[in-house]
Amino acid sequence: MQRRFYQVDVFSSTPYKGNPLGVVLDGQDLETEAMQAYSLWSNLSEVTYVLPANDKQADFQFRIFARQHEYRFAGHPALGTARAWLDAGGVPQNPRQLILECGAGLVPINIDGDVLSFASPATIRSGDLEADELKELVSILDIDPATVKDSQWVDNGPGWAAVLLENSEQVLEIVPKIPQRPGRWKIGVIGALPQERWPEKFEFRALTIEDGALREDPVTGSLNGAATDWLIDAGYTTAPLINRQGTKVGRRGRVHLDRQDSQLWVGGATTILISGTIEL
């Protein structure tokens, strides 16, 4: 069956320098196995499928697949799916804010021209990493433990653990080592940028290791949201701010973050680059 399809560039104002997302707009009769199969074949970091909303407050529902894994929530899929739905003629109940329904519940999306921002959902796992957990991450990152300023679980769906280093240069120098034992790790690495040189506050990297393979996500809204909430609460920064991500993989990701009435908003540019149909 032919279904409407978009590919969206998220978190960069420069085309092809953000994080790509595949969006299937007519996903209501697709089986989970078919969603997984296309996501795996596409080789995109995530693919989403738009469905009718179950909750009357929501404009639509969507499911997120990262290869064979389904996520409760992820940031760049939320923003990219919202942009595709609007471009395809979707009309939100509120012209200034979309309400998306996903595994994490209802997610508001503020609309400000080409920039969309999502309300970062609450973490499902937070708090300090245990000593053995941190030791394993330090080993995977192949870094000196003395360079770690802090660490925290910042899992709002995908499973992120964050490690804060002294500076952005240390972040960009990392060459991870693949663990010998089987497993799946999602590691966010953060370091402050020199403020005399860059308007952005932190350099982010998002590393996923699974089945002996390493994948680096170009720009990651979920990680930026949960980790920035932690960094603000821990006194490392204040809002508003802009983070940088994707430098190591040749991207120019910029994530805009602001906190309003204790709610962190995560936003960036969203651009439709491919549109058409897909056979699914």
Side-chain angles (χ1 to χ4, degrees), residues 168 192-201 203 244 247 254:
S168 59
L193 286 153
Q195 294 304 283
E196 67 275 11
R197 292 177 55 196
W198 301 103
E200 296 84 20
K201 184 66 176 178
E203 182 81 47
R244 190 173 78 175
T247 307
R254 299 295 184 269

Side-chain angles (χ1 to χ4, degrees), residues 88-108:
V91 179
Q93 299 176 55
N94 179 343
R96 299 185 63 182
Q97 186 181 82
L98 277 165
I99 303 294
L100 278 55
E101 182 181 357
C102 64
L106 299 181
V107 179

Side-chain angles (χ1 to χ4, degrees), residues 24-64:
V24 178
L25 285 167
D26 308 300
Q28 56 267 31
D29 61 346
L30 277 171
E31 298 291 336
T32 296
E33 291 77 11
M35 297 181 182
Q36 291 172 317
Y38 173 67
S39 176
L40 184 63
W41 178 86
S42 75
N43 208 33
L44 291 165
S45 55
E46 283 98 6
V47 175
T48 64
Y49 300 85
V50 176
L51 311 167
N54 292 318
D55 192 308
K56 292 182 180 179
Q57 298 178 74
D59 293 293
F60 63 87
Q61 178 188 175
F62 73 116
R63 294 176 68 181
I64 307 164

